[in-house]
Amino acid sequence: MRKTPLFLLSLPLFLLLAVLVLCPLVMVLAEAAGGGEGAVFTRIWQTLVQPENLLTIGNSLRLGAAVVVVATVIAAPLAWLLARTDMSRCRWLELAFMIPFMTPPYISSMGWILFMQRNGLCQQLFPWLGRWSEGFFSFWGLALVMGLHVFPFMLLMLRNAMLCVGQGLEDAGAVFGAGFAGRIRRIFLPLLLGNYAVGALLVFVKTLSEYGTPATLGQRIGFFVFTTDIHRYSTTAPVDFGRAATLSTALTLICLVMWFAQSAISRRHSYRLVGGKGVKSGCAVLRPAVRAWAWAGVWLVLLLSIGVPFFSVISTSLIRLRGYGLALDNLTFAHYAALFTDNPKAVQAILVSTGTAFVAATVSAVLGTVIAFVVSRSRNGVGRVLEGMSLLPEMLPGIVMVIGLMLFWNLVYDIVPLYNSPGMLSVAFVALFLPFTVQYVGAALANVNESLVAAARVFGASPWQIFRRVLVPLVFRGIAAGWAMTFIISFRELVAPSMMAPPGVLSISTFIVREFEQGSVSTGMAMAVICVLLTTGTLAVMSVLRRSR
């Protein structure tokens, strides 16, 4: 494509991304600074050093470190089993371990609460344990639930890194007299250090940015973190956007420091382990006793990460009267039927979530495809600027972006009266999840040979025809993947609807949380089951369409 049309296309994209991403972030910084000359850092510092906010910051950092420990304890042994032993032949384990990561965290935490609370499902199933389960409501219980949600991310990184460590390196160590422990300590672990550090930092950032689990389980035990305090200051009277923006600024700075740290670690501790000769991976055959312990650990992780929360959510949705507990004559599907017959708010929540998620996914697919195309064709700094702006929301906590969107669109309400309407949710979802499409389509475009575009030019195709007839069909799988991920995450998103939805308008996530908090637990869990079925069903349909394409 010629430079002039590309530049003309880049300009409106830049302005659009500025409105979606940069302006909200500037509003957060301006609100945190207080607007006075010489007071840019004064108000921020005075707010952060308040005892209540210092406690919040300390809680967030402590929780992030604890979740990293929990995720490491779970993921490291599993990664070794799936990469270096004959259990790697069980391909279904890879899919099973991704289920916790795809499950909305607030639904998993509600499942754990229902299972471990007083007179909960654990005490009903195992009365001989007494009230032992109530000890779960503690700091380490919160860290366990959050670690069970994010460990698949670290598992994937460690497993892929272990697969790149060839058996030849360990054999060379053995030739020079190193025992098993010595080879692990001097060869294996140093080669994994860079990948582990990156995974640990990303898990830490993910924990600091998470709102669903701290809002449900964390507030139940009186443990407040960045996200819950930001939400409270911006939604509960008296509303204090200044304090919310200040905490958002501090959270953003911490996350950005972590992102830059993981980039530096990646550059310093990266090794070229795959060469022209390929890699011969070791595959140890486990002894029967070791295999039994390994499978016991695998089933324990699956039980804790999938079994307990899913069993709690599904069984609670079927209980007619909670006072009678689990019994065959106390199970019913009436709560599911009531969602569509006796509860107009439930139907409204499904329609709102479906409509806003569909619009956001479609807009993101179109916008992200165009951005990825411009970035791939640019040979100067314009493409890098557009790519950085489009991927910036991925580096920032979602609640910070939501605060900025609230401040910005409230400021321009007289010009564009979009704030306080369902359409505002779609705008927020586009701003938050646009990076999915940009990354998926960008990766697909990187595999398209330039000769195909050149051939189209030879036959007289215009830039628009090349884009529509050549590039779009070749990257359709990336577009479909971006659309599906945006739709699924927008459909179940909690932060943006809880802060930006108009009064009286509920989404699926806010409906579940409201029913759970107001005591209509069975109704809320019935909606949670529907939410999981709809999102997984959408993912399955999109996977089938991508394969057929």
Side-chain angles (χ1 to χ4, degrees):
M1 179 177 285
R2 294 181 295 273
K3 292 184 178 180
T4 301
L6 191 63
F7 175 79
L8 294 178
L9 184 59
S10 302
L11 184 59
L13 291 177
F14 178 83
L15 295 176
L16 186 58
L17 289 175
V19 171
L20 285 174
V21 179
L22 294 185
C23 289
L25 293 180
V26 171
M27 290 299 300
V28 172
L29 295 176
E31 186 69 24
E37 294 184 4
V40 176
F41 298 104
T42 302
R43 179 176 176 178
I44 296 177
W45 178 255
Q46 290 176 348
T47 303
L48 292 179
V49 298
Q50 294 177 0
E52 182 181 3
N53 293 332
L54 285 177
L55 178 62
T56 297
I57 296 172
N59 286 345
S60 299
L61 299 178
R62 187 159 59 101
L63 180 62
V67 172
V68 170
V69 172
V70 172
T72 302
V73 171
I74 298 173
L78 292 177
W80 183 77
L81 291 175
L82 296 181
R84 312 295 290 186
T85 73
D86 54 349
M87 289 180 65
S88 60
R89 302 190 185 103
C90 301
R91 299 296 184 185
W92 63 272
L93 285 175
E94 299 177 20
L95 178 61
F97 285 130
M98 291 306 298
I99 294 177
F101 193 70
M102 296 300 296
T103 304
Y106 59 90
I107 292 179
S108 296
S109 64
M110 289 177 185
W112 273 100
I113 291 173
L114 294 170
F115 191 79
M116 303 298 281
Q117 66 185 358
R118 180 178 298 183
N119 298 323
L121 297 174
C122 181
Q123 294 184 6
Q124 295 178 37
L125 293 172
F126 312 106
W128 46 273
L129 290 176
R131 298 176 61 177
W132 167 84
S133 62
E134 297 175 35
F136 165 80
F137 295 94
S138 62
F139 169 79
W140 283 106
L142 175 62
L144 174 63
V145 173
M146 299 188 74
L148 289 170
H149 175 68
V150 297
F151 87 87
F153 183 79
M154 185 176 289
L155 168 62
L156 186 63
M157 293 197 67
L158 291 178
R159 175 183 173 276
N160 292 339
M162 290 180 185
L163 288 174
C164 292
V165 180
Q167 183 65 31
L169 297 174
E170 296 188 53
D171 293 341
V175 168
F176 283 93
F180 177 76
R183 295 197 300 272
I184 294 294
R185 181 172 57 87
R186 300 293 298 275
I187 299 175
F188 204 67
L189 292 182
L191 292 175
L192 298 179
L193 178 61
N195 294 82
Y196 171 74
V198 172
L201 289 175
L202 294 180
V203 167
F204 188 88
V205 171
K206 174 68 177 175
T207 302
L208 262 62
S209 306
E210 177 58 42
Y211 170 74
T213 304
T216 51
L217 180 56
Q219 294 197 46
R220 188 183 181 97
I221 63 176
F223 192 86
F224 300 98
V225 295
F226 271 120
T227 52
T228 53
D229 273 6
I230 293 171
H231 187 277
R232 175 164 55 91
Y233 290 141
S234 57
T235 58
T236 305
V239 174
D240 190 346
F241 277 115
R243 183 172 291 187
T246 301
L247 288 180
S248 298
T249 303
L251 178 58
T252 300
L253 291 176
I254 293 174
C255 292
L256 289 177
V257 168
M258 292 298 174
W259 278 106
F260 287 124
Q262 67 93 10
S263 298
I265 291 173
S266 298
R267 290 192 299 268
R268 178 172 296 184
H269 295 281
S270 61
Y271 304 94
R272 298 184 182 274
L273 300 176
V274 180
K277 296 182 179 179
V279 176
K280 177 185 177 183
S281 299
C283 186
V285 178
L286 299 178
R287 296 193 301 270
V290 177
R291 183 184 302 276
W293 280 106
W295 276 110
V298 167
W299 286 112
L300 177 61
V301 173
L302 292 177
L303 175 66
L304 295 178
S305 60
I306 303 174
V308 169
F310 274 64
F311 169 77
S312 300
V313 170
I314 295 173
S315 59
T316 303
S317 70
L318 297 174
I319 292 177
R320 186 192 309 273
L321 298 173
R322 294 186 63 206
Y324 288 96
L326 283 174
L328 288 178
D329 58 351
N330 194 35
L331 300 181
T332 179
F333 286 97
H335 300 296
Y336 291 90
L339 287 175
F340 301 96
T341 57
D342 301 332
N343 200 327
K345 286 291 186 181
V347 178
Q348 180 202 60
I350 295 175
L351 294 177
V352 168
S353 292
T354 304
T356 55
F358 180 85
V359 172
T362 305
V363 173
S364 296
V366 175
L367 181 59
T369 301
V370 176
I371 291 174
F373 173 72
V374 173
V375 170
S376 68
R377 308 304 298 170
S378 296
R379 298 293 184 267
N380 48 35
V382 175
R384 290 192 293 271
V385 171
L386 283 176
E387 185 178 26
M389 292 175 62
S390 63
L391 298 180
L392 185 58
E394 187 180 34
M395 303 172 59
L396 302 175
I399 196 168
V400 175
M401 285 295 300
V402 171
I403 290 291
L405 289 167
M406 292 173 64
L407 293 171
F408 174 73
W409 288 97
N410 188 41
L411 179 67
V412 300
Y413 182 81
D414 292 336
I415 303 173
V416 183
L418 186 63
Y419 188 73
N420 206 27
S421 69
M424 189 65 231
L425 292 178
S426 294
V427 173
F429 294 152
V430 171
L432 289 170
F433 308 127
L434 179 63
F436 287 120
T437 302
V438 175
Q439 289 177 319
Y440 283 122
V441 178
L445 282 172
N447 295 322
V448 176
N449 197 299
E450 184 67 23
S451 62
L452 299 174
V453 178
R457 288 192 186 129
V458 169
F459 284 92
S462 66
W464 166 246
Q465 289 175 322
I466 294 174
F467 176 75
R468 181 172 59 89
R469 301 291 298 277
V470 178
L471 294 177
V472 170
L474 290 174
V475 301
F476 177 79
R477 291 186 178 184
I479 297 173
W483 189 96
M485 290 300 297
T486 303
F487 179 85
I488 289 171
I489 299 180
S490 300
F491 185 82
R492 71 190 198 188
E493 170 66 12
L494 175 60
V495 175
S498 66
M499 300 176 68
M500 304 177 71
V505 176
L506 297 174
S507 67
I508 279 186
S509 57
T510 54
F511 178 88
I512 294 171
V513 173
R514 189 193 70 165
E515 296 297 308
F516 184 82
E517 293 177 345
Q518 293 182 353
S520 302
V521 179
S522 296
T523 302
M525 294 304 98
M527 181 65 85
V529 173
I530 292 175
C531 175
V532 173
L533 291 177
L534 288 175
T535 52
T536 53
T538 301
L539 187 61
V541 170
M542 294 303 298
S543 298
V544 172
L545 291 177
R546 288 174 60 196
R547 286 196 298 268
S548 64
R549 180 78 178 185

